[in-house]
Amino acid sequence: MKNIKRVPLQSEIIEAIKQYIEQNNLKNGDKLPSQGQLVEMLGVSRSSLREAVKVLETKNIVETVNGKGIYVRNGSPNIIQAQIEFRKEKESILELLEARKILEREILHLVIQHATQEELDNIEKILNVVLEKYNNGDKQNNEDRQFHYAIYNSCHNRIMQQLILSINNLLSELWEFPLGMEEPFTDTIPLHKDLFECLRNRNLKKAITINEKIISMVIKEVKAAQ
């Protein structure tokens, strides 16, 4: 039986508003229905609607004018262009993730060979903060980034560090919820503990397997973004 793909509510709302603009041939400056009307039309909460509208504002599709309402910033013809840009952004992220996966195989090899006990203790300290925030339901994106960067810094190869940091600088939005995604990649957090245990036990084969599982889960979520 095929797995059912669950689309985030925010993505559904965004798509519904874009379709409304296209189907009604709304142009720049045209007013959308009020928030109350949209809530009723879409059957969603006001908070969910507000978050979706924020994403549309960042993509320059709509503009909220205080006390007046939501206006179309770029009408129907430009929504197609916005969709093209969205696909290009997604493709770039996926290509960078593939490059990251390949490079991290060698970095893990070097970390297991060269990481000091002090460096491993530092990685564990960051991991504990990541897990605490995860268990409390708090955002842990900044600490997650620190965890990975601490691993890179333990490889003791400046060229490899520069290469992986260059890739991750281009991927920096992964830690800032790209493509309008709502709190993505949290399912990977428990695997970070498994990855660290492999590093501490100097188990290269298992470390690579777990790391590639993490990246594969990220790739899957990026592919599913709408």
Coordinates of all heavy atoms in Angstrom, one line a residue, residues 9 11 16 23-25 29 56 62 68 78 82 86 107 110 117 143 152 189 201 207:
L9 N -0.4 22.2 6.5 CA -1.5 23.0 6.4 C -1.1 24.4 5.8 O -1.8 24.9 4.9 CB -2.2 23.2 7.8 CG -3.4 24.2 7.8 CD1 -4.5 23.7 6.9 CD2 -3.8 24.4 9.3
S11 N 1.2 25.1 3.7 CA 1.3 25.0 2.2 C 0.0 24.9 1.5 O -0.2 25.4 0.4 CB 2.1 23.7 1.9 OG 3.4 23.8 2.4
A16 N -4.0 27.6 -1.9 CA -5.4 28.0 -2.1 C -5.5 29.5 -2.4 O -6.3 29.9 -3.3 CB -6.2 27.7 -0.8
Q23 N -7.5 32.3 -10.4 CA -8.8 32.0 -10.9 C -9.6 33.3 -11.0 O -10.5 33.4 -11.9 CB -9.5 31.0 -10.0 CG -8.9 29.6 -10.1 CD -9.4 28.7 -9.0 OE1 -10.2 29.1 -8.1 NE2 -8.9 27.5 -9.0
N24 N -9.4 34.3 -10.2 CA -10.1 35.5 -10.3 C -9.4 36.6 -11.0 O -9.8 37.8 -11.1 CB -10.5 36.0 -8.8 CG -11.5 35.1 -8.1 OD1 -12.7 35.3 -8.3 ND2 -11.0 34.2 -7.4
N25 N -8.3 36.2 -11.6 CA -7.5 37.1 -12.5 C -7.2 38.4 -11.8 O -7.3 39.5 -12.3 CB -8.2 37.4 -13.8 CG -7.3 37.9 -14.9 OD1 -6.1 37.6 -14.9 ND2 -7.8 38.7 -15.8
G29 N -2.5 45.4 -6.8 CA -3.3 46.4 -6.1 C -4.7 45.9 -5.8 O -5.5 46.6 -5.1
L56 N 3.6 34.4 1.9 CA 3.3 35.0 0.6 C 3.8 36.4 0.5 O 4.2 36.9 -0.5 CB 1.7 35.1 0.4 CG 1.1 33.7 0.2 CD1 -0.4 33.8 0.3 CD2 1.5 33.2 -1.2
V62 N 1.7 39.0 -2.0 CA 0.6 39.8 -1.4 C 1.3 40.8 -0.5 O 2.5 40.7 -0.1 CB -0.4 39.0 -0.6 CG1 -1.1 38.0 -1.5 CG2 0.2 38.3 0.6
K68 N -6.5 48.0 6.5 CA -7.2 48.1 5.2 C -7.4 46.7 4.7 O -8.4 46.4 4.0 CB -6.4 48.9 4.2 CG -6.4 50.4 4.6 CD -5.7 51.2 3.5 CE -5.8 52.7 3.8 NZ -5.1 53.5 2.8
N78 N 2.5 37.0 -12.7 CA 3.8 36.9 -11.9 C 3.8 35.7 -11.0 O 4.8 35.4 -10.5 CB 4.0 38.2 -11.1 CG 4.4 39.4 -12.1 OD1 5.2 39.2 -13.0 ND2 3.8 40.5 -11.9
A82 N 6.8 33.3 -10.0 CA 7.1 33.0 -8.6 C 7.3 31.5 -8.5 O 8.1 31.0 -7.8 CB 6.1 33.5 -7.7
F86 N 10.5 29.3 -7.3 CA 10.4 28.4 -6.3 C 11.0 27.0 -6.7 O 11.7 26.4 -5.9 CB 8.9 28.2 -5.9 CG 8.6 27.2 -4.8 CD1 8.6 27.6 -3.5 CD2 8.4 25.8 -5.1 CE1 8.4 26.6 -2.5 CE2 8.2 24.9 -4.1 CZ 8.1 25.3 -2.8
I107 N 34.5 13.8 5.6 CA 34.7 14.5 6.9 C 34.5 13.6 8.1 O 35.3 13.7 9.0 CB 33.7 15.7 6.9 CG1 34.2 16.8 5.9 CG2 33.6 16.3 8.3 CD1 33.4 18.0 5.8
L110 N 37.6 11.7 8.7 CA 38.6 12.5 9.3 C 38.3 12.7 10.8 O 39.2 12.7 11.7 CB 38.8 13.8 8.6 CG 39.4 13.7 7.2 CD1 39.3 15.0 6.4 CD2 40.8 13.1 7.2
Q117 N 39.3 14.3 22.5 CA 38.2 14.1 23.5 C 37.5 15.4 23.9 O 36.3 15.5 24.1 CB 38.8 13.5 24.8 CG 37.8 13.1 25.8 CD 36.8 12.1 25.3 OE1 37.1 11.1 24.7 NE2 35.5 12.4 25.5
E143 N 21.0 25.7 17.3 CA 21.9 24.7 18.0 C 22.2 23.5 17.0 O 23.3 23.0 17.1 CB 21.2 24.2 19.3 CG 21.2 25.3 20.4 CD 20.1 26.3 20.1 OE1 19.2 26.1 19.3 OE2 20.1 27.4 20.8
Y152 N 32.4 19.5 11.9 CA 33.3 19.9 10.8 C 34.6 20.4 11.4 O 35.7 20.1 10.8 CB 32.7 21.0 9.9 CG 31.3 20.7 9.3 CD1 30.4 21.7 9.1 CD2 30.9 19.4 9.0 CE1 29.1 21.4 8.5 CE2 29.7 19.1 8.5 CZ 28.8 20.1 8.2 OH 27.6 19.9 7.7
I189 N 16.2 14.9 14.4 CA 16.9 15.3 15.6 C 17.3 14.1 16.5 O 18.4 14.0 16.9 CB 16.1 16.3 16.5 CG1 15.9 17.6 15.7 CG2 16.8 16.6 17.8 CD1 17.2 18.3 15.3
N201 N 32.4 6.4 19.6 CA 32.8 5.0 19.6 C 33.7 4.7 18.4 O 34.1 3.6 18.1 CB 31.7 4.0 19.6 CG 30.8 4.1 20.8 OD1 31.4 4.4 21.9 ND2 29.5 4.0 20.7
A207 N 28.4 5.6 11.4 CA 28.3 7.0 11.4 C 27.8 7.5 10.0 O 26.9 8.4 9.9 CB 29.6 7.7 11.8

